[in-house]
Amino acid sequence: MADNKTPSTSASPEQLITEHLDIWTTAIEHKSSAGRGSSKKFSLYGIKKLRELILELAVRGKLVPQDPNDEPASVLLERIAAEKTQLFKDKKIKKPKVLPEMSEDEKPFEVPEGWEWTRLGEIAKKLTDGSHNPSRNNGEGYPMLSGQNVNYGKIDFVNPSRYVDQENYDKEHSRTLVQENDVLLTIVGSIGRSAVVPPMAPKFVLQRSVAVISTDLIPEFICNQFISPICMRYFDKHAKGTAQKGIYLGKLSQMLLVIPPLDEQQRIVAKVDELMSLCDALEAQTENSIKAHQTLVEVLLEALLKAPEQTATPEQATKQFQQNWQRLSEHFDTLFTTTASIDTLKQTILQLAVMGKLVPQNPDDEPAAKLLERIASEKAQLIKDKKIKKQKPLPEITDEEKPFELPHNWEWYRLGDSGLGSTGKTPSTKRSDFFDGDIPFIGPGQITPSGKIIESEKFLTEAGIQYGTEALPEDILMVCIGGSIGKSALVTERAAFNQQINCISPLYINSSFLYRALSSKSFYKSLLEKATGSATPIINRGKWEELLVPIPPVHEQHRIVAKVDELMALCDQLKARLTDVQTTKLHLTDAIVGQAL
């Protein structure tokens, strides 16, 4: 197995890639997005580390063999120093600043014979930045580029930050004198992106977020070195600022660079291009494989949710479901091998639960209709006792609204008719006696996508909760505005909540079942359909309480909750094992990189 091999110090770059192909392509870092219902994010960590390794090998002289016939880099540096001296004498450049002497302790590693360490300022005939006071956008004229226009190896001339007129172009260009083969480097914000000015580039000027560097080195070699780990660490260490970090030109000029012979620089650039193309292909293949795998999982799980044909008998529908489940279970070990696939399985389990397909029905159970009659009677008594206000009747449920057929003895019900609804409220912050108590005050940020309520940042007093909205254990909270709309949680301790959250206090319905029903894919879909706004979706409590929920008999609710808990625990165990495997692969990737260097 490739992951058991120790990289050989004599292994070629191609061997480092091919011998550990399974590690590079399967070392994946998963990142959960914050919003409810959005897909999981992933990072191809192995391929990212492989790219870094290629660049690290390049600057250490391990990517291509050295040629003893190459002119040493020391001669190149002498030539550059002489040229800069002459340019100063000819008054074409300012007198170069004297840079600190380089000590042996500064050099992070040994370089091959014929290579040299130097500072960027020593080899740069020009090192300056763009305009610190750019003119207003002229709407037309010459493009003024910012850091957003400089990407890794590419310059976007089409979408500049602004356009300047002839006068401002002449003023800025006379200062920077950007020419073909100069290197542009981002020095504010996302520091370290660089690109070479191509032949026949349109005339343009720069903002201060971009530096321009002119040198007799191969410019593409300089660009590759800027994104190598050694330079990226320098940028991180010396960048200043809070909201947006930047690196000063003086500090940039002191950055150490490795200088190979000129011919070797060209060979390194060609090899880096070749290997990065291989990485591009690996990346595309891996991403396509991940997407295809996820699509397969979704198709197979969707088959479990598919409604039986209208002519099918209950026995035929059950047989069809069992066949689909059998087909899925035969490939369980190969299907559920990613975080995304396990999360999709969890959603399918919840959906099967609310469709009545997770546990068998018991014809002896009291029908859900009886349960709903008790809820209506209880609410009527609460109104009579003046404990709640009389509510406006919710609309009758039409057949067109029902998203799927329910089993015998189940009923569709509107959420507002399943219990007592409320919307949160924030007490006045002007009243100091309302806050700093011991009652958690919950906002959307305290409800996680997985349904947990994390520690609150604010707490109310008993006086404060009188002017807020109270939630008690077994109540269900749901975020009803913004990108996290639909996140919900089952309350386990007394709390208060703000106006971005709605609450339902179930009557006679198993709270754990109702919470899972509100977490299902079908409920989330109906929630978004009823919500208004696209960039910031919102649903008011009236519309929220009109949403449909399926209600099974009480005893079946308990059986469903037990089965869901059992299957979710298995999913969590599966995900934990997967996380352990992925962590091992990430460590293996780091170990391979470390040993290769």
Side-chain angles (χ1 to χ4, degrees):
M1 292 293 290
D3 55 344
N4 291 327
K5 293 181 181 178
T6 301
S8 169
T9 55
S10 61
S12 70
E14 289 86 349
Q15 287 173 317
L16 280 171
I17 294 176
T18 57
E19 289 182 3
H20 307 284
L21 196 61
D22 57 333
I23 297 298
W24 304 128
T25 56
T26 60
I28 297 171
E29 199 170 30
H30 293 277
K31 301 174 183 178
S32 298
S33 56
R36 159 72 194 273
S38 53
S39 61
K40 300 291 180 181
K41 307 287 183 181
F42 62 86
S43 166
L44 301 184
Y45 182 84
I47 297 176
K48 172 177 173 285
K49 296 300 289 187
L50 177 58
R51 291 184 190 275
E52 292 177 2
L53 174 60
I54 291 167
L55 294 168
E56 189 81 54
L57 292 172
V59 300
R60 287 173 179 258
K62 297 182 178 183
L63 199 62
V64 299
Q66 280 73 51
D67 185 340
N69 297 317
D70 286 342
E71 178 187 73
S74 58
V75 177
L76 171 62
L77 294 179
E78 289 171 4
R79 197 161 56 242
I80 291 173
E83 184 181 0
K84 289 179 70 175
T85 300
Q86 188 62 47
L87 288 170
F88 169 65
K89 287 180 179 180
D90 297 341
K91 298 182 179 180
K92 292 183 178 180
I93 63 172
K94 294 179 180 180
K95 185 177 182 179
K97 291 183 179 180
V98 178
L99 295 172
E101 286 289 328
M102 189 186 310
S103 68
E104 289 299 319
D105 292 339
E106 282 186 88
K107 302 173 184 178
F109 50 81
E110 291 290 325
V111 294
E113 186 176 351
W115 287 44
E116 295 291 337
W117 281 104
T118 190
R119 298 190 190 277
L120 175 59
E122 297 286 2
I123 54 95
K125 293 183 291 186
K126 174 174 59 189
L127 174 56
T128 187
D129 56 4
S131 175
H132 286 229
N133 296 292
S135 62
R136 294 174 59 185
N137 188 4
N138 193 54
E140 59 182 4
Y142 299 95
M144 175 172 271
L145 307 184
S146 69
Q148 298 299 319
N149 298 104
V150 180
N151 212 321
Y152 298 105
K154 295 180 181 179
I155 303 173
D156 177 11
F157 297 103
V158 180
N159 304 290
S161 63
R162 67 190 69 195
Y163 289 90
V164 299
D165 58 18
Q166 185 70 52
E167 180 183 355
N168 282 285
Y169 169 78
D170 292 339
K171 180 180 69 174
E172 297 299 338
H173 181 65
S174 64
R175 188 174 70 85
T176 58
L177 292 173
V178 182
Q179 298 174 320
E180 176 184 332
N181 285 329
D182 283 354
V183 172
L184 303 186
L185 173 70
T186 58
I187 56 173
V188 176
S190 181
I191 303 172
R193 297 198 305 261
S194 61
V196 180
V197 178
M200 307 301 289
K203 293 181 178 180
F204 66 95
V205 288
L206 301 168
Q207 286 194 21
R208 69 173 295 268
S209 57
V210 182
V212 57
I213 302 158
S214 179
T215 174
D216 288 337
L217 303 183
I218 303 297
E220 290 81 6
F221 175 78
I222 294 293
C223 287
N224 286 336
Q225 191 159 175
F226 281 151
I227 57 173
S228 69
I230 181 176
C231 287
M232 295 307 293
R233 287 193 291 269
Y234 186 88
F235 295 143
D236 288 342
K237 181 178 179 180
H238 295 287
K240 303 296 182 183
T242 52
Q244 194 174 46
K245 289 193 173 184
I247 188 166
Y248 294 111
L249 293 178
K251 187 58 70 174
L252 186 63
S253 69
Q254 296 180 30
M255 183 169 67
L256 293 186
L257 295 179
V258 290
I259 310 298
L262 208 56
D263 288 339
E264 189 170 349
Q265 290 178 34
Q266 195 70 65
R267 295 195 299 273
I268 289 171
V269 168
K271 178 57 73 173
V272 168
D273 286 347
E274 175 191 338
L275 296 179
M276 289 300 180
S277 294
L278 281 175
C279 288
D280 290 342
L282 281 178
E283 196 169 71
Q285 181 181 352
T286 304
E287 286 181 346
N288 289 337
S289 176
I290 291 171
K291 290 175 183 175
H293 173 267
Q294 184 63 15
T295 299
L296 175 62
V297 168
E298 289 171 358
V299 168
L300 291 174
L301 290 175
E302 195 65 34
L304 295 176
L305 304 175
K306 189 177 179 181
E309 296 179 5
Q310 291 184 347
T311 57
T313 64
E315 292 77 13
Q316 290 172 330
T318 301
K319 184 178 180 181
Q320 178 185 334
F321 178 81
Q322 290 173 342
Q323 288 173 340
N324 289 334
W325 176 255
Q326 181 64 31
R327 182 172 56 183
L328 185 73
S329 60
E330 288 173 356
H331 305 284
F332 201 86
D333 292 341
T334 56
L335 286 172
F336 302 104
T337 56
T338 65
T339 300
S341 62
I342 296 172
D343 288 337
T344 304
L345 176 60
K346 282 186 166 186
Q347 274 297 311
T348 303
I349 289 168
L350 287 176
Q351 192 59 39
L352 290 172
V354 299
M355 294 176 76
K357 294 185 174 184
L358 203 60
V359 299
Q361 280 73 51
N362 184 343
D364 296 331
D365 285 343
E366 179 188 69
K370 296 288 186 182
L371 168 63
L372 301 181
E373 288 174 5
R374 281 202 300 278
I375 295 173
S377 177
E378 175 70 13
K379 292 182 80 169
Q381 187 61 49
L382 290 171
I383 293 169
K384 186 177 180 180
D385 295 341
K386 298 183 179 181
K387 292 183 178 179
I388 63 172
K389 294 180 180 180
K390 186 174 182 179
Q391 298 171 315
K392 181 181 177 181
L394 293 171
E396 290 289 327
I397 298 173
T398 65
D399 288 337
E400 289 75 16
E401 289 181 88
K402 301 173 183 177
F404 48 83
E405 288 291 324
L406 293 178
H408 181 64
N409 281 346
W410 285 47
E411 295 289 340
W412 282 109
Y413 217 51
R414 297 202 185 275
L415 178 59
D417 285 333
S418 66
L420 307 178
S422 57
T423 298
K425 187 166 57 175
T426 299
S428 173
T429 55
K430 296 179 181 179
R431 291 282 299 272
S432 59
D433 60 322
F434 284 175
F435 291 89
D436 297 328
D438 56 6
I439 303 167
F441 185 62
I442 298 170
Q446 278 68 57
I447 300 177
T448 71
S450 61
K452 303 291 184 183
I453 297 178
I454 61 177
E455 186 175 355
S456 300
E457 298 173 357
K458 297 179 180 179
F459 292 82
L460 300 186
T461 61
E462 289 294 340
I465 204 169
Q466 300 303 316
Y467 289 87
T469 311
E470 184 180 38
L472 299 174
E474 301 301 312
D475 287 352
I476 301 165
L477 302 180
M478 178 173 284
V479 179
C480 289
I481 184 173
S484 57
I485 188 171
K487 284 196 306 184
S488 57
L490 190 61
V491 178
T492 57
E493 63 174 343
R494 186 186 182 207
F497 54 100
N498 74 11
Q499 61 274 12
Q500 294 178 296
I501 296 174
N502 286 340
C503 174
I504 189 75
S505 303
L507 295 172
Y508 298 113
I509 293 176
N510 185 304
S511 293
S512 294
F513 170 80
L514 187 57
Y515 162 67
R516 284 159 177 79
L518 301 190
S519 304
S520 67
K521 185 177 179 180
S522 57
F523 185 87
Y524 183 66
K525 180 182 177 183
S526 66
L527 175 73
L528 292 184
E529 288 173 350
K530 289 287 186 180
T532 57
S534 52
T536 307
I538 181 172
I539 186 168
N540 61 40
R541 199 175 97 216
K543 291 293 183 183
W544 185 66
E545 291 186 349
E546 289 182 7
L547 297 176
L548 296 187
V549 286
I551 304 296
V554 173
H555 291 305
E556 189 168 348
Q557 292 176 30
H558 292 293
R559 295 197 299 272
I560 289 172
V561 169
K563 177 57 71 173
V564 168
D565 287 348
E566 174 190 338
L567 295 177
M568 290 298 180
L570 289 174
C571 287
D572 289 340
Q573 291 173 15
L574 193 61
K575 187 179 282 190
R577 288 198 296 269
L578 175 64
T579 300
D580 289 342
V581 170
Q582 285 298 332
T583 300
T584 300
K585 288 182 178 180
L586 298 184
H587 290 328
L588 278 171
T589 302
D590 293 339
I592 292 169
V593 170
Q595 292 177 31
L597 297 174

